[in-house]
């Protein structure tokens, strides 16, 4: 029963601020090309990010739209990562592209 509680807590959403997210990213990531990051790190980061929730007041200042195309709004960056809020208005698309 206590292990069930631990599992439930571990999978529950974590409400964090952008500042807390930046702190977590800096603690988890070192400076290296993304292609050199281990699959274990990628899995851990995917799980961590998937469990996070943000108050709309955190991301609202970064929500900007353009009529002609989607927008990429910079939240923050350093040598380890880049944080963006991407905004598409109804009917907008992004061109096909590769992140590799």
């Amino acid at each position: 029963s206590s292990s069930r509680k631990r599992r439930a807590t571990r999978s529950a959403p974590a409400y964090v601020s952008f500042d807390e997210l930046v702190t977590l990213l800096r603690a988890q990531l070192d400076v290296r090309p993304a292609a050199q990051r281990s699959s274990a790190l990628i899995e851990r980061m995917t799980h961590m990010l998937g469990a996070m929730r943000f108050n709309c007041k955190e991301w609202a200042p970064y929500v900007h739209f353009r009529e002609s195309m989607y927008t990429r709004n910079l939240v923050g960056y350093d040598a380890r990562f880049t944080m963006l809020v991407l905004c598409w208005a109804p009917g907008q698309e992004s061109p096909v592209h590769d992140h590799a």
Side-chain angles (χ1 to χ4, degrees):
S1 101
S2 66
S3 67
R4 272 192 215 146
K5 286 181 185 176
R6 265 186 265 134
R7 267 185 260 141
T9 303
R10 201 176 304 144
S11 62
Y15 290 88
V16 297
S17 70
F18 278 173
D19 288 340
E20 291 169 321
L21 174 56
V22 167
T23 299
L24 286 168
L25 291 173
R26 287 185 175 144
Q28 293 291 319
L29 301 174
D30 56 1
V31 179
R32 72 170 69 189
Q36 294 178 7
R37 294 196 172 127
S38 72
S39 58
L41 173 64
I42 292 167
E43 185 176 329
R44 187 171 68 246
M45 296 299 295
T46 299
H47 178 76
M48 180 182 80
L49 293 169
M52 291 183 176
R53 301 296 178 265
F54 299 94
N55 184 311
C56 66
K57 291 178 183 177
E58 281 287 320
W59 50 263
Y62 305 100
V63 176
H64 304 285
F65 293 91
R66 285 178 32 190
E67 279 187 37
S68 59
M69 62 181 291
Y70 79 102
T71 60
R72 296 165 39 102
N73 306 300
L74 181 64
V75 175
Y77 72 96
D78 70 9
R80 299 173 192 95
F81 60 88
T82 302
M83 284 177 48
L84 301 166
V85 172
L86 284 72
C87 300
W88 286 267
Q92 289 182 329
E93 301 174 341
S94 59
V96 174
H97 59 284
D98 186 356
H99 289 264

